[in-house]
Amino acid sequence: MSPFTYLEPATIEEVVEILDRHRDEAKIIAGGTALVNFMKNQLIQPRFVVGLRRLRSLAAVSNVQDIRIGALTTIHTLETSRTIAEHVPLLSAACHYVATIRIRMMATLGGAMVYADPSLDTPPALLASDARIKMQGAKGEREVPINQFFMGIYETELRSDELLTEIIVPPQPKGSGTAFIKFSPATYEDYPTVSVAARLTLRDGLIDNARIALGAVGFTPVRAEQAERELLGMRPCEESFRNSAAAVTGSIEPLADSRGSSEYKRDMAVVHVRRALAIAAARATDVAIAR
Ligand SMILES: Cc1cc2nc3c(=O)[nH]c(=O)nc-3n(C[C@H](O)[C@H](O)[C@H](O)COP(=O)(O)OP(=O)(O)OC[C@H]3O[C@@H](n4cnc5c(N)ncnc54)[C@H](O)[C@@H]3O)c2cc1C
């Protein structure tokens, strides 16, 4: 690892000032689970590493209208949070599948977003939950919908002078059911061949709103909007799920790797979207019966 200077600012403003001054020469470290590997392998050699440990306010979840998740909140905190389980169940489920407990205790949600590996578990869950990403830089704060945040493999909308401060998620609509599937032929601690997050909202027995997002099927995590449209106004039945799942192939461009060929991943995406929709619909129906 090349030598670097470690800085530990006490406020968001100080972080932004350091980033603004050093731009690409400075790298933020949150949990360090991704960054340290990059540095050890000489893929990144920052002159300054900026620790966020003193920014405790960014390590909390709050629930005021929307669910606001500080960028430094760990995956383990989210996996075990009652607020997240109740209002963003897809994120709860996805966090449960991230690596091992040791990684989940260190890794942060903000770090996962900026890391932007298309195979991560949490981005599809947040895409299907209509999350927004909040950033703060030298020119002030801004928010983007998460479907505009991921630009490519390890590439995001975040500028070099910006800190990701919050992930904001609206509570899911009433009458919704969700399902997260991580299909991994090796172990769940590995990255998936395909992952699927689905949310269906029923009104008067018909599908009123649908969200389908996938991971590991292209250069970024993706929303399958055509597949979502296929479901609107339909009865939640096997035929609707099959038609929707078939439409997913138009939204994905899987890359072959050790977890499967491009064709295999395509087939698995269709299979697991259909399964996720069936589970989400059953859960939405249970919610409707319970009300
Ligand atoms: C062995 C192993 C197994 C894993 N398995 C899985 C898995 O099964 N599923 C899964 O989803 N993930 C998995 N991961 C990835 C893990 O989720 C990410 O490494 C982690 O979420 C990154 O968070 P971090 O806090 O450690 O980020 P860091 O390593 O600290 O940072 C990652 C990147 O984000 C930047 N950054 C961090 N926080 C901010 C911020 N607030 N603002 C701006 N930039 C920031 C850093 O500069 C760096 O470029 C695995 C990782 C490891 C090491």
Side-chain angles (χ1 to χ4, degrees):
M1 201 183 286
S2 305
F4 58 86
T5 303
Y6 180 70
L7 304 171
E8 210 168 78
T11 64
I12 291 178
E13 289 69 27
E14 281 178 45
V15 176
V16 168
E17 200 254 314
I18 292 169
L19 294 178
D20 193 33
R21 187 159 5 115
H22 300 296
R23 299 281 163 151
D24 290 333
E25 290 190 327
K27 272 285 163 198
I28 282 173
I29 186 161
T33 60
L35 185 73
V36 172
N37 276 339
F38 277 128
M39 288 172 66
K40 276 189 185 159
N41 293 315
Q42 309 270 321
L43 296 169
I44 300 181
Q45 298 176 40
R47 278 187 57 213
F48 300 94
V49 173
V50 186
L52 301 182
R53 258 195 310 212
R54 294 169 73 191
L55 306 186
R56 298 314 303 162
S57 65
L58 291 190
V61 174
S62 65
N63 177 7
V64 185
Q65 286 188 336
D66 289 333
I67 314 302
R68 307 185 83 94
I69 303 169
L72 292 185
T73 310
T74 65
I75 302 295
H76 177 68
T77 299
L78 295 166
E79 175 195 14
T80 52
S81 158
R82 291 179 70 167
T83 303
I84 298 298
E86 186 180 341
H87 298 291
V88 201
L90 277 172
L91 183 60
S92 242
C95 287
H96 179 66
Y97 287 111
V98 172
T100 57
I101 183 73
R102 285 176 63 197
I103 297 285
R104 295 200 292 274
M105 296 286 285
M106 296 294 295
T108 65
L109 191 63
M113 295 302 106
V114 181
Y115 180 23
D117 183 314
S119 298
L120 296 184
D121 294 310
T122 45
L126 290 171
L127 273 164
S129 304
D130 293 329
R132 307 190 301 281
I133 303 289
K134 189 169 169 190
M135 295 157 277
Q136 184 162 339
K139 294 194 182 121
E141 289 183 341
R142 66 189 179 114
E143 256 179 51
V144 297
I146 191 167
N147 61 353
Q148 294 170 20
F149 183 72
F150 299 108
M151 310 295 281
I153 299 178
Y154 307 141
E155 277 181 50
T156 71
E157 170 67 25
L158 190 82
R159 299 185 193 122
S160 59
D161 69 319
E162 286 179 320
L163 175 71
L164 192 159
T165 52
E166 271 185 333
I167 297 96
I168 303 167
V169 195
Q172 64 176 5
K174 288 197 167 47
S176 299
T178 60
F180 179 82
I181 297 180
K182 177 174 185 171
F183 172 61
S184 177
T187 68
Y188 280 124
E189 290 161 18
D190 189 18
Y191 288 116
T193 300
V194 167
S195 63
V196 178
R199 186 181 80 193
L200 289 183
T201 311
L202 303 184
R203 187 190 287 184
D204 300 330
L206 300 180
I207 299 171
D208 186 49
N209 186 284
R211 289 286 181 271
I212 302 169
L214 297 98
V217 289
F219 293 92
T220 64
V222 289
R223 270 250 326 257
E225 294 187 26
Q226 178 56 37
E228 292 173 359
R229 281 193 289 272
E230 293 284 335
L231 291 164
L232 296 183
M234 305 303 287
R235 255 183 351 101
C237 62
E238 192 55 31
E239 190 189 354
S240 313
F241 304 149
R242 273 186 198 284
N243 291 340
S244 168
V248 155
T249 53
S251 302
I252 61 177
E253 283 179 87
L255 306 171
D257 61 21
S258 60
R259 296 173 189 90
S261 66
S262 172
E263 294 73 25
Y264 179 65
K265 289 185 178 192
R266 214 171 258 283
D267 289 349
M268 289 304 101
V270 172
V271 167
H272 290 288
V273 166
R274 180 170 54 72
R275 289 184 185 167
L277 290 174
I279 297 168
R283 290 180 178 160
T285 307
D286 284 349
V287 170
I289 292 167
R291 273 199 289 154

